[in-house]
Amino acid sequence: MYNYIDYKEYYGRIMQFGKNKKVPIHRWYPFVEGYSREFIESIISEQTIVPRNCLEPFAGSGTTALELQRMNIECYSFEVNPFMYTLSNAKLKANSYNSATIKKHLKRMLTTISTISDSEVSNISDFSTLVESEGKKKWNLNKPVFLAVEKIILAIEELHSKKYRDIYIVVLANVLLEFGNLYRNGKCLSYKKHWQQNEYTQQEVFDHFSLIIEKTILPDIKTQNKKLNCDNSQKLYLGDSRTLINEKIENSSIDLIITSPPYLNSRDYTDSYMLELKALGYLTNLSDIRKLRSQTLRSHVQLKLENNFQLSNELLSDTVDKLVDASQNGESWNDEIVLMVQAYFDDIKQIFEGMFKKLKKDRMVYFNVSNSAYYGVLINTLDICASIAEDIGFEVIEIREARYLNPSPQQREMVGKLLEGVIVLKK
Ligand SMILES: C[S@@+](CC[C@H](N)C(=O)[O-])C[C@H]1O[C@@H](n2cnc3c(N)ncnc32)[C@H](O)[C@@H]1O
């Protein structure tokens, strides 16, 4: 139906976030769900006119805005998850940071930490599994780790310069990955193997915090071009892009859109980043969690969904019919999956409508997403998104095949591998 082009060899070489892991600044946090800086570079290199600005509705770890900033291209980006927002913000400010100030801050933070006693930091949390205590079977952070993290947070808060705090929070998030009992397993958080045997001390946590600053942050800052004309941190917004792009961006003002939304894979980003969100104080109670989920694209079943969808699209209706049939035949009938699929495309439509309004005529969108499968039914997300975009008024130029992803073994038997691609649209 659409013009599929094989980019697997090319995108296979350049596209995955793993490529960012050795690149200064991009490497500040291991983000699984992102793409590489080379992907952005390759899109810019194929434009006949260098764009003046770009829109990125799903900033994630900030790859798009950061790479464009390096090229002096303005980027308006939006991120709903406050930890991801802090991460993007810290990375985008990297060229304005000063190594001597960071060294001074580190010294001051370590002095502050040495004056805080254990009893001064709260060792209780509203979240029952966050910290070790008597009677619990599982906890995310051993007590010494939790106390050390709380002391570092206090030391960060005591610094006068707000601008630098975001970097230290990002460093502390790396410490959580190292000393916490959880890891991200691709879908959600799981306990590390033999986590009960870990016996970390507070001093080990403080040492690791210093080490990341010395071995990663300071060397990366030295590599930065201090004379960039463009500061994309000023155009990074915290909130729900489904509605916020309408408030923050003028109609027909955008030259280019590059983005990758959450995929329709039941992954709840709020859950995946729960350790950072709770331990770093972004979420303090259950109502905070509910609020964040309600602002996040509906690609999971953690929210109660109402069946009140407006979207009429033939491809989607066919898929939903097949899904209803297949799910009713299966052992575990669960209409939440069917509702999630509809809610997801409802949200995609809202995003496409916003993008269409903001983009200038004749300009392009690069939309990276993948197909999914439930109950043995292929959800051809690439085709359905392209078709929704077409209904809104975009021309679908092509769909670039990037790579095949593995669904669960059960789905794989029925639908095979799932195509990930880039939908190229023109207004
Ligand atoms: C696939 S990731 C983007 C990755 C990014 N391209 C990178 O390389 O880091 C999708 C991001 O969208 C964010 N997100 C989900 N719903 C959102 C919404 N309604 N508004 C803004 N951001 C949202 C998620 O928190 C997640 O960070």
Side-chain angles (χ1 to χ4, degrees):
M1 181 172 155
Y2 294 107
N3 184 22
Y4 274 79
I5 314 245
D6 188 352
Y7 267 67
K8 291 197 280 297
E9 214 272 316
Y10 180 43
Y11 280 168
R13 267 186 290 121
I14 65 158
M15 204 169 156
Q16 299 319 309
F17 186 86
K19 304 271 299 175
N20 287 349
K21 284 189 183 151
K22 289 197 176 127
V23 183
I25 318 297
H26 284 282
R27 66 176 177 162
W28 281 4
Y29 203 70
F31 190 60
V32 193
E33 300 87 356
Y35 41 50
S36 68
R37 61 151 218 92
E38 277 106 322
F39 175 60
I40 304 301
E41 198 175 48
S42 81
I43 291 173
I44 298 301
S45 68
E46 64 182 82
Q47 307 303 308
T48 44
I49 309 169
V50 178
R52 228 178 29 85
N53 67 16
C54 178
L55 165 63
E56 159 61 291
F58 301 102
S61 64
T63 312
T64 313
L66 183 59
E67 190 52 17
L68 293 176
Q69 177 168 283
R70 191 183 66 78
M71 299 177 186
N72 270 322
I73 298 172
E74 284 185 357
C75 181
Y76 295 88
S77 51
F78 295 81
E79 176 52 52
V80 75
N81 182 310
F83 168 64
M84 291 300 161
Y85 172 82
T86 301
L87 173 62
S88 293
N89 205 28
K91 287 158 97 177
L92 289 169
K93 288 208 175 95
N95 69 315
S96 70
Y97 292 135
N98 176 294
S99 302
T101 308
I102 294 181
K103 282 184 198 156
K104 210 169 66 195
H105 283 165
L106 177 59
K107 216 167 148 194
R108 193 170 317 146
M109 285 189 284
L110 293 175
T111 309
T112 308
I113 284 164
S114 68
T115 64
I116 306 173
S117 68
D118 289 358
S119 58
E120 282 173 79
V121 283
S122 78
N123 59 2
I124 40 162
S125 157
D126 270 9
F127 298 115
S128 61
T129 51
L130 183 63
V131 54
E132 170 183 10
S133 70
E134 250 172 62
K136 284 184 197 165
K137 289 206 172 99
K138 283 187 169 181
W139 52 87
N140 306 163
L141 299 175
N142 292 357
K143 197 156 174 189
V145 175
F146 179 77
L147 291 174
V149 168
E150 292 280 293
K151 288 181 186 179
I152 296 173
I153 292 175
L154 278 185
I156 295 172
E157 281 168 0
E158 290 216 346
L159 294 173
H160 295 303
S161 166
K162 217 170 165 286
K163 177 173 133 184
Y164 283 80
R165 284 185 196 162
D166 286 350
I167 340 175
Y168 309 131
I169 292 291
V170 170
V171 173
L172 190 52
N174 278 282
V175 168
L176 288 174
L177 294 186
E178 183 71 23
F179 290 92
N181 298 331
L182 300 174
Y183 75 101
R184 256 183 286 283
N185 71 7
K187 262 222 145 87
C188 55
L189 290 170
S190 298
Y191 277 86
K192 292 176 183 169
K193 239 184 184 173
H194 311 306
W195 65 273
Q196 294 94 333
Q197 288 158 26
N198 294 335
E199 286 184 13
Y200 302 120
T201 63
Q202 291 191 44
Q203 192 56 47
E204 281 175 297
V205 175
F206 303 140
D207 290 347
H208 196 71
F209 180 77
S210 308
L211 190 79
I212 298 174
I213 294 182
E214 280 157 5
K215 294 276 184 250
T216 307
I217 304 295
L218 287 169
D220 283 9
I221 279 170
K222 286 205 184 107
T223 66
Q224 290 306 287
N225 173 4
K226 304 278 178 204
K227 294 203 184 81
L228 288 179
N229 299 325
C230 149
D231 178 1
N232 284 340
S233 70
Q234 297 297 319
K235 297 179 180 62
L236 168 68
Y237 298 99
L238 174 65
D240 182 351
S241 57
R242 290 172 296 187
T243 48
L244 208 55
I245 52 178
N246 288 317
E247 281 171 40
K248 299 292 180 192
I249 297 182
E250 274 180 43
N251 289 346
S252 304
S253 66
I254 296 292
D255 286 343
L256 176 69
I257 298 177
I258 310 175
T259 196
S260 178
Y263 293 0
L264 182 52
N265 55 8
S266 310
R267 183 182 303 164
D268 172 14
Y269 277 82
T270 309
D271 254 0
S272 295
Y273 290 88
M274 200 59 97
L275 179 60
E276 292 86 343
L277 290 166
K278 284 178 180 172
L280 301 174
Y282 292 108
L283 302 178
T284 53
N285 52 48
L286 291 175
S287 114
D288 289 348
I289 297 179
R290 265 195 299 275
K291 187 166 167 224
L292 179 55
R293 278 206 178 109
S294 73
Q295 294 176 331
T296 305
L297 208 84
R298 292 173 291 173
S299 58
H300 55 82
V301 291
Q302 303 279 4
L303 272 182
K304 184 98 200 87
L305 297 168
E306 302 290 331
N307 192 349
N308 55 358
F309 309 108
Q310 312 291 326
L311 176 59
S312 70
N313 174 281
E314 221 175 294
L315 270 183
L316 176 61
S317 305
D318 286 353
T319 308
V320 168
D321 289 347
K322 283 186 197 149
L323 210 53
V324 170
D325 282 350
S327 59
Q328 283 170 340
N329 291 338
E331 305 247 299
S332 55
W333 157 245
N334 172 358
D335 68 350
E336 281 181 344
I337 297 282
V338 181
L339 292 177
M340 171 189 76
V341 170
Q342 294 174 90
Y344 180 79
F345 289 108
D346 231 37
D347 286 350
I348 292 289
K349 176 174 177 248
Q350 200 178 348
I351 281 292
F352 278 159
E353 282 171 343
M355 294 188 333
F356 192 79
K357 265 195 238 151
K358 305 302 157 185
L359 197 63
K360 289 181 188 160
K361 189 154 171 22
D362 291 327
R363 300 305 175 113
M364 311 290 283
V365 177
Y366 295 79
F367 195 80
N368 167 220
V369 75
S370 97
N371 292 339
S372 310
Y374 292 98
Y375 302 119
V377 174
L378 174 72
I379 318 290
N380 195 329
T381 306
L382 289 161
D383 274 357
I384 298 172
C385 286
S387 161
I388 292 171
E390 226 170 21
D391 293 345
I392 287 167
F394 281 110
E395 180 187 348
V396 180
I397 302 294
E398 63 195 28
I399 299 180
R400 298 178 177 179
E401 299 172 355
R403 62 170 175 159
Y404 281 101
L405 304 174
N406 273 322
S408 65
Q410 199 191 0
Q411 299 299 326
R412 192 177 163 173
E413 236 172 61
M414 296 192 271
V415 299
K417 291 191 173 193
L418 300 173
L419 183 63
E420 181 184 27
V422 179
I423 306 171
V424 182
L425 306 168
K426 185 175 175 185
K427 176 171 169 182

